[in-house]
Amino acid sequence: MVESQIFATGMAAKLRSQWDRDDGLGQNHNAVKFLGQDYESLRAQYLQSGRLFEDNLFTNSASSLGFNELGPRSSKTQGVRWMRPTEFCKRPEFIVDGATRTDICQGALGDCWLLAAIASLTLNDNLLRRVVPQGQNFQQGYAGIFHFQFWQFGEWLDVVIDDRLPVKDGKLLFVHSAEGTEFWSALLEKAYAKLNGSYEALSGGSTSEGFEDFTGGVTEMYELRKAPSDLYSIIRRAVERGSLLGCSIDITSASETEAVTFRKLVKGHAYSVTAVNEVSYRGTPTKLVRIRNPWGEVEWTGAWSDDSREWDSVDSSVRSRLQNRSEDGEFWMSFSDFLREFSRLEICNLTADALEEGQIKKWSSSLYQGEWRRGSTAGGCRNYPATFWLNPQFKIILQHPDSPSQPDCSFLVALMQKDRRKKRQEGKDMETIGFAVYEVPDEFAGKSGVHLKRDFFLTHASSARSETFINLREVSSRLRLPPGEYIVVPSTFEPQKEADFVLRVFSEKPANTEELDDDVVAELPAEKPLDESQIDAGFKSLFRQLAGADMEISVTELQTILNKIISKHKDLKTDGFTSEACRSMINLMDTDGSGKLGLTEFHVLWEKIKRYLTIFRQFDLDKSGTMSSYEMRMALESAGFKLTNHLFQLIILRYTEEDMSVDFDNFVTCLVRLETMFKTFNTLDTDKDGQISLDFFQWITLTMFA
């Protein structure tokens, strides 16, 4: 019972949270307070007390640094002290003359992907102000507390930190500014580390991850060896629109990580693209790209680098505007060299603007939260036909072709797995994820209360799919399909892999999207009123033997009866019926409120159990004596119950054994419970509008005794 109570309160909290988000909580202007910490009230409290804020939810301890390479026994963390900027810098500043790319120099942490994203952020004041709230400083109103805002899986979070930073040998261990007196970037990195559990959790990643967490945008990747012919104009328009851009050079082995090439480019390292330009070089138009290394040093030495001779042949006014001779990590290179030297380009579209066309226009977008759960919704990819259909399903209706000359509809699907960095401490990393897209068959067109089953996927090929299943945080693909209704099925590669996910669908023209799920329905066989005279003599005789002198069957007697009978069915696996399960059965059948079953009540229950036994054997396809999750879902439908993914998931959590199997007693208990809840609701829903209203006394009476 204690477990059920915890389960119920957890579900209530989840529902409450969803209602708050439906009301607008989690938007940038109304960010969720991460871990419940409110920046304004904490700051006021510490200013009034005259003390500096100390964050007890992200302490200055070894666990905040890391768990392996930055763990407590690592040489990298020996001698680290947590110090406030005011303790090791004479005149610390939060931001001086605006945030610039030179404020972000990498420290002893492999988070160049994050720093490349922060550097790109400095090119757009509006974006920067959204992530780094204004008015923070080390002078007026300073209380040792700062806050930053990040987009996380569909909502904005406000993260509070104190300003104690890891320092070794008198210098910041991680991100620092070139001048050493500006601290916004180091504090931003700390807030992001808190969000992900530790500094070490930030090690290694894709720049697109930082891009998206700073903007809520969606990222597209381009393999530069297969670059589209108009990539330069795509980059130019993206820069003009304030999109964030990153690039990197692939490595072929771990030994190549951060290896420096002959021309001083770093392999396996994240750079940001900060500008493009076209110059006249000896009378020939030449396309240039400006790149930044977040190390703040180590620059390209090839053509168009800081001191190269190419600049001598460019108009002096252009040269003075573009050429920069300082070793600041930023450099120009020709677009042709860029394509040859770099492997991948990532562009984060802030509003998923169309990159193929010249004009700027917003896409229509939808976002869905989902989860893959072992035993219920973690079906794996198409290679696993027995379970693939269990995955969540989402419908997109494409109605408007891109243009008269382009009859197809463009849309972008982005599938993101949640909270995987936090799970690194538990030894878990990214799952391998992807998705497939199917055209809705005519018989299901226009219907929403349908979760397509196994037979559909066995007989229909996909219309499109993600380019690959890959262990990245996000997989996204730009697709074109004819107008129509389509189903997107996101999945892990293998079944029974658990993860939470966000699915986002962006379309060039307005498109309707919705989660495809079964309507919640109970189509139960009609129960005819039964008179004792209709019950055969053999059953009456059996009942007299079982019921005893009072001619009624109690909870204890029912438990004894059922467990005796079930023990004779050697093909069924069971732990035996619990008294709680038997009490549920009596609650369902007890029409006179005695807490016991009379002859007719017991007869109806007996017929139900016989029917349940027939269904159980029918859908125990492998004759194991138990049911797997997908057998269970089919069996529930055969018994008359259609349930949403979420309700089915709750049933699997509550009624399965440790190996995710459902034995016979749990199967019967589940069906009895479902039938009780449906009947109870229908009894109270007197006007049949699908809604009931209860006061607290009615609610607690119902939940305690239903």
Side-chain angles (χ1 to χ4, degrees):
M1 282 299 290
V2 172
E3 188 178 326
S4 296
Q5 289 161 1
I6 293 169
F7 183 75
T9 52
M11 283 308 304
K14 201 168 182 178
L15 274 174
R16 175 73 262 174
S17 173
Q18 187 54 54
W19 294 344
D20 289 341
R21 279 153 178 75
D22 290 344
D23 286 339
L25 181 66
Q27 295 176 13
N28 186 246
H29 65 277
N30 186 20
V32 175
K33 292 170 177 54
F34 183 60
L35 302 179
Q37 291 175 301
D38 184 296
Y39 169 74
E40 293 295 348
S41 61
L42 283 170
R43 182 168 164 270
Q45 176 187 329
Y46 278 84
L47 280 173
Q48 188 174 4
S49 69
R51 294 181 294 121
L52 295 179
F53 173 62
E54 294 190 10
D55 186 3
N56 60 4
L57 298 183
F58 193 64
T59 56
N60 56 340
S61 61
S63 62
S64 296
L65 289 174
F67 45 88
N68 186 16
E69 287 188 18
L70 293 175
R73 296 176 182 166
S74 166
S75 61
K76 292 182 180 180
T77 59
Q78 298 306 307
V80 170
R81 299 172 60 202
W82 293 78
M83 301 175 72
R84 301 184 191 271
T86 51
E87 295 171 342
F88 64 91
C89 177
K90 284 186 179 178
R91 281 185 291 277
E93 297 282 354
F94 186 67
I95 291 182
V96 180
D97 298 329
T100 60
R101 301 179 300 286
T102 58
D103 299 342
I104 306 130
C105 299
Q106 190 173 353
L109 182 61
D111 62 349
C112 56
W113 62 274
L114 174 64
L115 309 190
I118 299 174
S120 295
L121 193 63
T122 64
L123 301 174
N124 187 316
D125 282 343
N126 289 333
L127 292 180
L128 185 72
R129 280 196 292 271
R130 198 153 50 161
V131 176
V132 185
Q134 292 182 291
Q136 304 187 82
N137 60 64
F138 288 95
Q139 291 82 38
Q140 187 178 359
Y142 168 70
I145 184 170
F146 292 86
H147 70 132
F148 299 86
Q149 294 198 348
F150 304 105
W151 182 90
Q152 284 282 281
F153 316 118
E155 64 186 11
W156 285 88
L157 304 180
D158 191 83
V159 181
V160 169
I161 55 164
D162 65 32
D163 62 346
R164 297 176 299 178
L165 296 167
V167 173
K168 190 171 183 179
D169 301 325
K171 295 179 181 178
L172 284 177
L173 186 60
F174 303 128
V175 167
H176 53 278
S177 66
E179 298 78 16
T181 57
E182 210 166 342
F183 290 93
W184 72 270
S185 58
L187 294 167
L188 172 64
E189 183 188 44
K190 179 176 182 179
Y192 200 65
K194 177 179 177 178
L195 183 65
N196 286 284
S198 68
Y199 276 95
E200 187 170 353
L202 305 184
S203 182
S206 166
T207 305
S208 61
E209 192 174 332
F211 285 166
E212 293 185 342
D213 287 353
F214 296 151
T215 66
V218 64
T219 301
E220 295 180 271
M221 288 196 187
Y222 292 90
E223 298 295 334
L224 296 182
R225 60 189 168 79
K226 300 185 291 184
S229 58
D230 59 343
L231 183 62
Y232 186 80
S233 61
I234 287 174
I235 296 173
R236 179 172 47 76
R237 282 197 302 278
V239 169
E240 288 168 357
R241 265 198 319 273
S243 299
L244 308 184
L245 296 90
C247 57
S248 58
I249 303 170
D250 284 347
I251 58 172
T252 53
S253 67
S255 62
E256 282 192 323
T257 303
E258 297 193 344
V260 180
T261 68
F262 174 67
R263 298 285 187 192
K264 294 292 180 74
L265 292 176
V266 186
K267 292 186 175 183
H269 185 60
Y271 290 80
S272 41
V273 178
T274 58
V276 293
N277 220 298
E278 194 165 319
V279 299
S280 176
Y281 173 65
R282 296 178 178 172
T284 303
T286 301
K287 296 179 174 70
L288 303 180
V289 182
R290 191 175 70 190
I291 315 282
R292 184 168 194 281
N293 181 348
W295 286 352
E297 54 187 8
V298 186
E299 298 182 12
W300 162 252
T301 57
W304 299 101
S305 58
D306 287 4
D307 297 311
S308 71
R309 291 182 176 177
E310 283 79 9
W311 292 106
D312 297 339
S313 301
V314 172
D315 181 86
S316 59
S317 63
V318 174
R319 184 167 66 244
S320 62
R321 179 167 55 87
L322 300 181
Q323 190 180 17
N324 177 8
R325 291 177 179 273
S326 62
E327 178 77 359
D328 57 2
E330 194 160 57
F331 53 86
W332 290 95
M333 65 193 308
S334 71
F335 182 61
S336 55
D337 279 342
F338 171 72
L339 292 178
R340 185 166 49 250
E341 298 286 345
F342 283 89
S343 311
R344 184 175 294 105
L345 173 72
E346 300 166 79
I347 301 180
C348 181
N349 307 298
L350 305 186
T351 51
D353 294 333
L355 294 183
E356 284 93 348
E357 299 180 24
Q359 75 270 30
I360 296 173
K361 57 181 181 181
K362 288 187 177 180
W363 283 27
S364 170
S365 63
S366 304
L367 181 147
Y368 296 95
Q369 304 281 353
E371 48 200 353
W372 296 296
R373 287 290 173 267
R374 186 168 161 256
S376 55
T377 54
C381 74
R382 178 69 185 267
N383 295 354
Y384 302 89
T387 55
F388 177 68
W389 63 278
L390 289 168
N391 287 301
Q393 300 171 16
F394 302 86
K395 183 162 74 171
I396 177 169
I397 303 172
L398 303 173
Q399 296 171 305
H400 308 287
D402 292 351
S403 67
S405 60
Q406 174 52 266
D408 289 343
C409 305
S410 293
F411 65 109
L412 190 151
V413 178
L415 173 65
M416 179 186 291
Q417 52 187 317
K418 297 168 67 172
D419 298 322
R420 301 310 293 187
R421 286 188 180 276
K422 285 182 185 173
K423 295 183 185 295
R424 282 186 180 176
Q425 267 177 277
E426 304 165 25
K428 298 175 183 175
D429 215 323
M430 300 287 183
E431 295 295 349
T432 302
I433 61 170
F435 56 84
V437 182
Y438 294 82
E439 188 170 6
V440 175
D442 292 341
E443 64 265 33
F444 295 120
K447 296 181 180 178
S448 57
V450 179
H451 184 92
L452 296 176
K453 303 298 187 286
R454 182 177 60 171
D455 288 350
F456 168 80
F457 295 105
L458 288 175
T459 54
H460 292 77
S462 61
S463 301
R465 56 179 183 260
S466 52
E467 286 182 36
T468 180
F469 273 75
I470 193 166
N471 59 340
L472 290 177
R473 185 175 81 154
E474 184 172 59
V475 173
S476 68
S477 294
R478 182 183 288 254
L479 307 169
R480 277 200 183 99
L481 289 173
E485 294 186 16
Y486 297 90
I487 300 161
V488 180
V489 185
S491 72
T492 55
F493 184 77
E494 295 178 337
Q496 313 302 2
K497 299 290 186 181
E498 293 201 331
D500 295 325
F501 68 83
V502 168
L503 181 77
R504 294 185 289 168
V505 179
F506 299 86
S507 52
E508 291 256 5
K509 297 285 181 71
N512 296 324
T513 58
E514 60 182 309
E515 184 166 2
L516 259 190
D517 218 343
D518 287 327
D519 289 330
V520 181
V521 175
E523 295 171 348
L524 304 173
E527 289 179 8
K528 296 174 184 174
L530 192 67
D531 190 81
E532 286 192 18
S533 62
Q534 297 171 280
I535 300 173
D536 67 68
F539 190 87
K540 285 180 181 176
S541 173
L542 174 66
F543 179 77
R544 286 190 200 100
Q545 293 172 36
L546 299 172
D550 64 353
M551 289 301 286
E552 288 196 311
I553 291 179
S554 67
V555 169
T556 308
E557 288 167 335
L558 181 61
Q559 187 178 8
T560 303
I561 294 163
L562 292 179
N563 286 334
K564 261 186 191 174
I565 294 167
I566 208 71
S567 66
K568 294 176 182 176
H569 292 271
K570 302 300 182 186
D571 62 324
L572 300 178
K573 288 188 181 172
T574 175
D575 301 328
F577 287 92
T578 64
S579 58
E580 188 67 29
C582 293
R583 189 171 286 109
S584 293
M585 293 182 211
I586 287 179
N587 285 346
L588 174 64
M589 306 310 309
D590 179 19
T591 53
D592 59 8
S594 66
K596 296 182 179 182
L597 299 183
L599 174 61
T600 56
E601 293 168 334
F602 182 64
H603 188 274
V604 174
L605 175 62
W606 189 252
E607 292 301 313
K608 276 186 196 298
I609 292 174
K610 280 165 51 180
R611 178 171 162 262
Y612 294 161
L613 178 58
T614 302
I615 292 171
F616 188 88
R617 284 186 165 139
Q618 179 187 350
F619 288 96
D620 176 15
L621 301 176
D622 57 0
K623 305 305 175 192
S624 63
T626 62
M627 278 198 181
S628 67
S629 57
Y630 66 91
E631 291 170 340
M632 177 70 168
R633 186 146 190 175
M634 292 187 290
L636 286 174
E637 192 157 333
S638 176
F641 297 102
K642 285 190 176 180
L643 303 173
T644 62
N645 274 341
H646 186 63
L647 286 174
F648 180 63
Q649 193 172 301
L650 298 182
I651 280 172
I652 291 299
L653 284 172
R654 186 159 184 174
Y655 292 103
T656 53
E657 303 296 321
E658 278 188 28
D659 64 355
M660 304 306 288
S661 65
V662 182
D663 58 18
F664 182 66
D665 57 281
N666 275 330
F667 178 68
V668 172
T669 305
C670 173
L671 289 176
V672 166
R673 184 77 176 155
L674 276 172
E675 189 170 334
T676 302
M677 298 312 293
F678 272 100
K679 283 187 171 178
T680 303
F681 185 89
N682 288 334
T683 301
L684 295 171
D685 183 18
T686 52
D687 57 2
K688 304 304 173 193
D689 66 348
Q691 296 184 3
I692 60 174
S693 177
L694 303 173
D695 62 27
F696 177 72
F697 178 75
Q698 292 166 327
W699 162 254
I700 200 165
T701 302
L702 186 64
T703 53
M704 291 299 289
F705 299 104

